[in-house]
């Protein structure tokens, strides 16, 4: 294991993050505050409690997940797309490092950043609503697993993309809708039965449900199922990444 | 014909061919052995396959057939050991933009799994006249400086085998001299160097051996001095006192030509031939009463040899 290389990539990526620290932090903080103003205060005041939790508090886990998914995905995607775009990828390809090490460096850095943002949003949310977290360890576990999983998806998108449009299209067209329809702002139990069944096809439902359970002890699907599905989602991109490096797909001609 | 017949090969390329997606065959069964410690120049016109060959060895392009070993390590099965010995300076100026010179060079060392060594990085930067610029962002550097940053990155992890793909493109004359000084120093400490260049005098000046690649085929690999001797023609130029209207009859045995309105008579001869024919030519000229003010000789340069070779093939 070339841990020095993993550390070098991680440090490089984190330096990239710190160069744009202000915009990295400010935009999610502002958008979260807006969600609270719109959904929490304006609309939430007219919505009854969901599962015995005030609506403002109920949407906190979903809001964090929403940002976590988007940030992990786009960060990792940009992280690997950029060297491909500028050509500096030659150095990664010619270095004595294994695919796993490259993934660890990029995905680790992207996940770190999005987890940090998730925690910042959590802190922002605490300014608006009364928060209590029933299972903090599980909360962190879901946070980390989700961040890593979506950073891996992002990494694959970054390798697949051959233009900036493709880089943006997946988060925009797939992940954001899945997150919104996955129960960020509602419990899927509020849906008609047919749509509840349809929702179960959406992977994000399990992530949000599990995450919300860690906060309030209530969930849409069982916690074991949430965890199991999260691990499945982790395995899928792992397999894809292994294949990509084995064949050099989109990386080597 | 290796220069150092006793030294084990640091690089072995056998039967390597490359067909790019779309079907273009860029390399056709290339065989090459590089001895440890030599400077090898790979010459060839645009699109000949130089960069493709280097990219395969370094792990950037997949080979279609064949095998490559670096110091005995297969580049596929044993890529870690193989790659850790290699430094690559790519042809394209591909650098980060926002990182500082120091950071990007240190990053390269880290990627290759080497522990931090600020003293080494400092030496590399000083050798390449980049020390003053160590804290500058790369995007604020000139093209020639960026090229040197790429060289510094390749040297950061102390490679045993260094590839320089047109390292002096866009570098000014003074700095080019300095860079060759750096290359010589590297060779002196035992680094093997493979370079490509379109400045043939550079290859002539630096290389121990020369390989010529044309349309994906390695058409020649030869010791440089041997090559110059073998393929080199020499010319003897006589600057005449009285111009000649034509070459006098009776000189048809000699390869003569007139130039400068009949003021210069040029005799081309093969340096390999047992008799150059100079003495007899001189005698004949004296008999004919042709006098000359001055004589000079000219040896064909590597450039001329190279152009002839490639044109023969075309
Ligand atoms: N990724 C690629 N896909 C398809 N063809 C390629 C690719 N890369 C190179 N080629 C083709 O392979 C041939 C050899 O290219 P290569 O870059 O190896 O040439 P070169 O000898 O380095 O030339 P130059 O002196 O211009 O740098 C060219 O015809 C080129 O068009
Ligand atoms: Mg080239």
């Amino acid at each position: 294991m070339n841990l020095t290389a993993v550390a070098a990539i991680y440090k490089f990526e984190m330096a990239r993050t710190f160069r744009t620290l202000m915009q990295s932090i400010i935009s999610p903080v502002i958008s979260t505050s807006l969600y609270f103003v719109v959904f929490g205060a304006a609309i939430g005041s007219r919505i009854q409690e969901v599962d015995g939790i005030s609506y403002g508090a109920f949407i906190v886990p979903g809001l964090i997940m929403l940002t976590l998914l988007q940030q992990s995905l786009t960060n990792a995607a940009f992280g690997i797309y950029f060297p491909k775009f500028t050509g500096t990828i030659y150095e990664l390809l010619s270095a004595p490092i294994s695919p796993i090490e490259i993934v660890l460096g990029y995905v680790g850095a992207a996940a770190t950043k999005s987890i940090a943002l998730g925690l910042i949003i959590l802190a922002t949310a605490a300014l608006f609503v009364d928060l209590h977290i029933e299972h903090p360890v599980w909360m962190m576990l879901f946070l980390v697993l989700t961040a890593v999983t979506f950073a891996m998806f992002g990494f694959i998108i970054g390798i697949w993309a051959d233009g900036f449009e493709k880089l943006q299209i997946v988060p925009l067209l797939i992940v954001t809708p899945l997150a919104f329809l996955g129960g960020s702002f509602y419990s899927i139990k509020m849906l008609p039965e047919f749509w509840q069944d349809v929702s179960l096809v959406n992977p994000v439902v399990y992530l949000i449900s599990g995450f919300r359970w860690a906060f309030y002890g209530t969930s849409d699907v069982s916690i074991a199922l949430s965890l199991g599905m999260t691990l499945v989602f982790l395995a899928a991109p792992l397999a894809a990444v292994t294949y990509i490096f084995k064949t050099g797909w989109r990386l080597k001609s | 014909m290796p220069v150092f017949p006793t030294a084990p090969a640091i690089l072995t390329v056998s039967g390597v061919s490359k067909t790019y997606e779309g079907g273009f065959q860029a390399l056709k069964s290339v065989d090459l052995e590089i001895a440890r410690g030599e400077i090898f120049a790979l010459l060839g016109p645009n699109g000949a396959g130089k960069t493709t060959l280097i990219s395969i060895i370094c792990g950037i392009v997949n080979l279609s057939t064949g095998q490559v070993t670096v110091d005995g390590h297969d580049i596929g099965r044993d890529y870690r050991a193989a790659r850790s010995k290699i430094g690559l300076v790519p042809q394209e100026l591909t650098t980060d933009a926002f990182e500082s010179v120091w950071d990007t060079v240190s990053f390269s060392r880290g990627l290759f799994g080497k522990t931090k060594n600020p003293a080494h990085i400092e030496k590399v930067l000083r050798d390449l006249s980049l020390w003053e610029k160590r804290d500058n962002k790369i995007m604020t550097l000139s093209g020639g400086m960026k090229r040197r940053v790429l060289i510094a990155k390749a040297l950061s992890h102390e490679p045993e085998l260094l590839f320089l793909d047109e390292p002096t493109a866009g570098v000014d004359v003074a700095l080019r001299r300095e860079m060759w000084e750096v290359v010589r120093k590297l060779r002196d400490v035992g680094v093997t160097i493979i370079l490509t260049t379109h400045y043939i005098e550079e290859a002539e000046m630096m290389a121990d051996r020369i390989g010529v690649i044309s349309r994906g085929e390695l058409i020649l690999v030869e010791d440089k001095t041997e090559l110059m001797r073998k393929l080199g023609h020499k010319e003897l130029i006589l600057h005449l006192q009285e111009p000649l209207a034509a070459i006098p009859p009776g000189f048809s045995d000699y390869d003569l030509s007139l130039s400068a309105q009949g003021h210069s008579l040029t005799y081309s001869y093969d340096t390999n031939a047992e008799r150059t024919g100079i003495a007899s030519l001189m005698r004949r000229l004296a008999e004919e009463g042709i006098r000359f003010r001055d004589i000079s000789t000219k040896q064909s340069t590597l450039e001329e040899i190279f152009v002839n070779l490639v044109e023969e093939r075309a």
Side-chain angles (χ1 to χ4, degrees):
Chain A
M1 195 79 172
N2 185 349
L3 285 178
T4 318
V6 176
I9 296 174
Y10 185 85
K11 224 181 98 190
F12 181 94
E13 283 296 295
M14 289 315 281
R16 198 167 62 86
T17 299
F18 281 111
R19 270 199 302 274
T20 53
L21 192 62
M22 283 326 274
Q23 80 200 51
S24 304
I25 293 177
I26 284 180
S27 67
V29 168
I30 289 183
S31 59
T32 309
S33 307
L34 286 176
Y35 279 122
F36 272 114
V37 171
V38 174
F39 289 109
I43 299 177
S45 59
R46 319 216 161 184
I47 298 180
Q48 300 155 346
E49 296 187 334
V50 184
D51 288 342
I53 308 152
S54 80
Y55 186 68
F58 178 83
I59 63 171
V60 172
L63 273 181
I64 295 175
M65 273 291 166
L66 190 64
T67 307
L68 200 67
L69 300 186
Q70 288 167 338
Q71 289 290 328
S72 310
L73 198 85
T74 45
N75 269 312
F78 265 97
I80 190 69
Y81 177 78
F82 216 68
K84 255 179 41 171
F85 176 72
T86 59
T88 52
I89 188 99
Y90 84 88
E91 212 179 7
L92 277 180
L93 295 175
S94 64
I97 44 180
S98 70
I100 303 291
E101 288 151 9
I102 296 179
V103 172
L104 275 179
Y106 279 100
V107 168
T112 305
K113 180 179 173 187
S114 61
I115 290 169
L117 287 177
L119 295 175
I120 289 172
I121 291 173
L122 186 63
T124 312
L127 301 177
F128 291 87
V129 290
D130 260 348
L131 275 181
H132 75 117
I133 302 167
E134 214 149 290
H135 311 286
V137 176
W138 283 95
M139 187 212 82
M140 275 315 287
L141 183 73
F142 270 107
L143 202 64
V144 171
L145 281 179
T146 308
V148 169
T149 302
F150 277 77
M152 299 252 276
F153 275 123
F155 187 80
I156 294 169
I157 291 164
I159 288 177
W160 162 76
D162 48 16
F164 280 99
E165 315 80 51
K166 279 193 182 174
L167 215 51
Q168 276 153 356
I169 216 159
V170 175
L172 210 66
L173 250 48
I174 301 178
V175 176
T176 307
L178 283 183
F180 270 89
L181 299 176
S184 293
F185 299 109
Y186 56 85
S187 161
I188 61 166
K189 286 179 191 152
M190 294 156 82
L191 296 173
E193 199 155 329
F194 172 75
W195 290 108
Q196 282 193 32
D197 292 343
V198 172
S199 294
L200 292 180
V201 184
N202 179 354
V204 178
V205 165
Y206 302 92
L207 302 174
I208 292 181
S209 169
F211 197 49
R212 190 174 288 138
W213 171 83
F215 274 78
Y216 307 122
T218 67
S219 58
D220 289 348
V221 293
S222 88
I223 175 66
L225 186 60
S226 279
L227 192 61
M229 291 305 266
T230 308
L231 292 175
V232 169
F233 300 139
L234 185 61
L238 205 60
V241 163
T242 312
Y243 170 82
I244 284 172
F245 278 99
K246 217 169 186 170
T247 57
W249 181 73
R250 297 262 179 163
L251 285 174
K252 297 188 191 187
S253 39
Chain B
M1 293 154 284
V3 217
F4 311 102
T6 50
I10 188 164
L11 173 68
T12 316
V13 176
S14 32
V16 166
S17 55
K18 172 66 189 178
T19 306
Y20 278 110
E21 234 172 274
F24 181 79
Q25 189 170 18
L27 289 178
K28 297 167 188 157
S29 189
V30 171
D31 294 296
L32 180 64
E33 265 201 14
I34 302 294
R36 186 180 288 279
E38 70 173 316
I39 298 185
F40 185 86
L42 196 56
L43 306 180
N46 287 141
K50 303 178 295 291
T51 301
T52 301
L53 180 60
I54 291 176
S55 302
I56 286 175
I57 298 167
C58 296
I60 295 163
V61 167
N62 289 324
L63 45 71
S64 303
T65 64
Q67 201 195 14
V68 179
T69 61
V70 178
D71 206 15
H73 304 285
D74 185 273
I75 56 160
R77 259 176 293 121
D78 205 0
Y79 69 92
R80 249 189 235 272
R83 288 186 199 164
S84 60
K85 302 193 180 280
I86 298 178
L88 166 66
V89 180
Q91 176 175 6
E92 303 289 331
L93 269 184
T94 46
T95 56
D96 298 313
F98 304 105
E99 283 70 26
S100 72
V101 171
W102 178 273
D103 285 350
T104 197
V105 175
S106 305
F107 170 72
S108 299
R109 189 176 169 89
L111 263 192
F112 276 73
K114 294 269 166 91
T115 49
K116 282 205 173 83
N117 185 347
H120 176 70
I121 308 264
E122 174 172 348
K123 181 178 179 304
V124 167
L125 291 182
R126 284 192 190 279
D127 283 350
L128 290 163
S129 319
L130 283 171
W131 182 243
E132 309 301 316
K133 297 279 181 185
R134 63 188 177 280
D135 294 324
N136 288 45
K137 282 186 180 172
I138 300 170
M139 63 185 192
T140 66
L141 302 183
S142 75
M145 291 173 189
K146 284 182 187 152
R147 169 91 45 205
R148 280 177 281 142
V149 168
L150 289 180
I151 299 177
K153 280 166 83 72
L155 294 180
S156 68
H157 54 273
E158 301 159 77
E160 291 172 38
L161 176 59
L162 180 66
F163 288 92
L164 299 165
D165 201 350
E166 296 190 30
T168 51
V171 174
D172 72 39
V173 183
L175 276 171
R176 194 176 298 169
R177 294 242 162 83
E178 272 178 43
M179 271 170 51
W180 291 123
E181 209 37 59
V182 172
V183 170
R184 282 207 186 90
K185 274 194 218 157
L186 286 170
R187 198 258 300 265
D188 291 344
V189 297
V191 178
T192 310
I193 292 147
I194 297 179
L195 61 97
T196 75
T197 176
H198 287 288
Y199 301 107
I200 296 179
E201 72 276 23
E202 218 163 62
E204 192 173 340
M205 210 167 66
M206 300 296 305
D208 299 310
R209 281 200 308 158
I210 306 248
V212 177
I213 193 167
S214 172
R215 299 167 179 223
E217 282 178 83
L218 198 56
I219 56 178
L220 171 140
V221 175
E222 184 75 88
D223 186 81
K224 181 188 64 189
T225 39
E226 189 73 3
L227 177 69
M228 309 268 305
R229 202 175 60 79
K230 253 193 195 166
L231 296 174
H233 282 270
K234 229 172 170 177
E235 291 178 344
L236 177 72
I237 301 142
L238 304 169
H239 304 273
L240 305 176
Q241 277 183 347
E242 303 292 332
L244 283 177
I247 296 167
F251 282 87
S252 55
D253 291 351
Y254 302 94
D255 183 1
L256 291 176
S257 61
L258 271 176
S259 57
Q261 281 102 35
H263 279 284
S264 312
L265 184 66
T266 304
Y267 171 49
S268 307
Y269 59 97
D270 191 343
T271 46
N272 276 339
E274 264 177 38
R275 296 159 172 277
T276 56
I278 295 174
S280 65
L281 175 68
M282 293 299 196
R283 234 179 0 258
R284 292 290 313 279
L285 287 172
E287 283 165 20
E288 294 284 329
I290 300 172
R291 292 167 198 288
F292 43 88
R293 281 184 290 119
D294 196 7
I295 59 175
S296 59
T297 63
K298 188 168 153 267
Q299 179 143 26
S300 49
T301 60
L302 191 54
E303 175 143 9
E304 288 157 344
I305 296 172
F306 170 74
V307 168
N308 285 338
L309 256 178
V310 173
E311 274 175 359
E312 251 168 52
R313 287 269 166 162

